[in-house]
Amino acid sequence: MAEREAADRHVPVMRDRCIRLLSLGAENIRAAGHRPVIIDATLGMGGHAEALLAAEPQVSVLGLDRDPQAHELAAARLAPYGDRFRGIHTVYDRVDEVAAEELAADQRVAGVLLDLGVSSLQLDEASRGFAYSYDAPLDMRMDASEDSPDESVAELLARIEVRELSQILREYGEERFAGRIAKAIVTRRESQPFTSTADLAAVVDRAVPAASKRTGGHPAKRTFQALRIAVNEELEVLRRTIPHAMDAVAPGGRIVAMSYHSLEDRIVKQAFARRTKSSAPTGLPVELEEHKPTFTSLTRGAELPDETEIAENPRAASAKLRAVEKLMITRRTQA
C-alpha cells in the first residue's frame, strides 16, 4: 500500500538523465575493481533510488533524509531490493561521515545525488504546513519528529524581530516587500500569535500592494519559501554538503545536483567551480599539482528539463541540473 502510494505521488525530476550520469560513475568504480555505492542524499519518497536500483543490478544505494515520513514511504517502496538499499535518518551534510561509517572495505562511492529543496511529500501533506494553499499548523520543519531540535515557523515568528525577519524574507525569498511584510507580521503577532498557514498567508496578502498582485502567483509564495529555508537552515546545510560530497566520492565518481531556485543553484555552481578550475595564481609559469582541478564538469552550464517532461511533471519546470566527476588518471570522462 505504502509502496504504491509513494510511486503514485512522486515523479522523479530528470530521472533518466540522473540515472545515466550516475550509472557511468558506477561503471568507472567497477572498472577500478570496487563495488559501487550511490548515495541518494535527498531520498524523499525514493523515486530516483528505485530507478537506480532497477537500472544497475550491481549498485547499492544509501538513502539519506531528515524526514522520518520519507523513510517510511521509501522503505516500503524499495523493499523488493533487499539489502541493496539502506535508509539513514540524517541531514545530508553528513554525507562524507555516512560514507566512512557505512561502506565495506571493497566499496566506493560512485555518485552522490542531490535533489534539493522541498519534496513532493512535504508539499502535498497539508498537515506539514509547507503550503500556503492549505490551512494547516504553521510548521514547515523537514524533521517534525518529537526529538527534532528544529523550531517550527510558528515558534520562529513568535520571537523574531522586524529587522531579522526582513533580512530572511529579502535574502531567502528575494521578496521586494520584505520590510512591509516583516512589520505587518510582527505588529499582528503582538495581539495574536501565528498558528496556521492560512492566517500567515492572509497577513502577507494584506501587506503586499494590490498592483503587485497581478502577476507572479500568490503574494505569500516568497515568504513561505524564505521561512521554510530559514527554519531548516537549508542554504547553510547545502554550503557544507557540496564539498563533503565531493570529498566522499572516489576517483571516477560523480556528483549530480538539481536545484529549483537561484539561491541553491548559485551555491552548487560556485562549489563546483572551485574544484573544476585551476587555483594557480595568474601568470604562474608552471601549474603545481596542488593547484590543478580535481573535478571536471559534465554539464555545460545548467541542464534543463525538456518541454515533454515539464508538461508531464510541472514541478520539473524550475529544475537546473549540474554534474561533475572526480578526476582520475586511467579513464577518460564520459558525459
Side-chain angles (χ1 to χ4, degrees):
M1 178 74 174
E3 175 188 350
R4 186 69 261 151
E5 180 187 5
D8 289 340
R9 290 168 61 184
H10 179 226
V11 180
V13 174
M14 299 181 77
R15 181 194 63 194
D16 293 346
R17 181 57 171 150
C18 290
I19 301 313
R20 173 165 174 74
L21 286 164
L22 293 168
S23 292
L24 290 170
E27 181 182 317
N28 290 341
I29 299 305
R30 282 195 296 269
H34 303 293
R35 291 193 294 142
V37 175
I38 303 292
I39 299 180
D40 184 346
T42 47
L43 177 63
M45 286 187 281
H48 286 104
E50 182 180 46
L52 276 165
L53 291 163
E56 292 289 334
Q58 299 180 56
V59 165
S60 297
V61 173
L62 294 176
L64 279 53
D65 209 296
R66 64 168 111 175
D67 188 338
Q69 189 178 8
H71 280 288
E72 181 182 348
L73 291 169
R77 181 177 190 171
L78 302 175
Y81 296 96
D83 60 6
R84 288 179 57 210
F85 169 76
R86 280 178 287 163
I88 299 170
H89 181 210
T90 191
V91 182
Y92 58 58
D93 63 349
R94 289 192 62 249
V95 59
D96 54 339
E97 296 176 29
V98 168
E101 293 167 0
E102 299 291 335
L103 266 63
D106 62 341
Q107 292 179 317
R108 297 292 184 275
V109 178
V112 175
L113 175 64
L114 291 158
D115 186 7
L116 301 169
V118 65
S119 73
S120 300
L121 165 63
Q122 291 151 350
L123 284 173
D124 292 343
E125 287 286 338
S127 63
R128 302 292 296 274
F130 280 89
Y132 47 79
S133 54
Y134 302 116
D135 188 16
L138 195 54
D139 196 325
M140 298 197 214
R141 290 173 299 163
M142 291 182 177
D143 182 355
S145 59
E146 289 184 5
D147 59 350
S148 172
D150 302 328
E151 66 178 348
S152 67
V153 169
E155 291 168 332
L156 173 68
L157 294 184
R159 64 162 181 82
I160 200 166
E161 298 303 324
V162 170
R163 184 174 180 179
E164 184 184 358
L165 179 55
S166 179
Q167 183 178 350
I168 286 172
L169 300 182
R170 188 176 296 110
E171 182 177 349
Y172 296 161
E174 301 176 299
E175 174 56 68
R176 289 171 55 201
F177 304 105
R180 293 179 60 144
I181 294 170
K183 288 177 184 177
I185 288 173
V186 172
T187 298
R188 213 311 295 278
R189 176 190 73 193
E190 292 174 357
S191 60
Q192 182 182 352
F194 286 94
T195 59
S196 75
T197 55
D199 188 14
L200 176 60
V203 170
V204 175
D205 187 25
R206 290 194 294 271
V208 174
S212 300
K213 300 178 188 179
R214 294 172 188 153
T215 59
H218 196 286
K221 177 180 179 180
R222 288 177 291 275
T223 294
F224 271 63
Q225 173 185 296
L227 293 172
R228 185 203 83 220
I229 289 172
V231 296
N232 293 293
E233 298 183 338
E234 291 178 38
L235 300 185
E236 294 89 339
V237 171
L238 179 58
R239 288 188 184 96
R240 296 192 295 268
T241 298
I242 301 296
H244 289 180
M246 297 175 91
D247 290 341
V249 294
R254 296 172 165 206
I255 313 292
V256 178
M258 285 185 292
S259 55
Y260 296 85
H261 58 73
S262 60
L263 301 173
E264 292 172 337
D265 185 56
R266 189 179 304 126
I267 291 170
V268 173
K269 178 181 178 181
Q270 291 173 349
F272 282 178
R274 280 191 285 272
R275 300 207 195 181
T276 55
K277 295 178 181 178
S278 173
S279 61
T282 304
L284 197 70
V286 177
E287 184 183 39
L288 301 176
E289 284 298 319
E290 59 262 33
H291 294 306
K292 291 181 179 180
T294 53
F295 281 78
T296 186
S297 180
L298 300 172
T299 55
R300 185 173 295 178
E303 293 185 5
L304 307 177
D306 59 31
E307 293 181 2
T308 301
E309 177 169 5
I310 293 171
E312 294 174 351
N313 183 15
R315 286 181 180 167
S318 58
K320 293 182 177 180
L321 183 151
R322 297 180 188 271
V324 292
E325 179 180 299
K326 184 172 279 190
L327 291 171
M328 54 190 233
I329 297 170
T330 56
R331 285 178 63 81
R332 293 183 62 187
T333 296
Q334 303 169 339

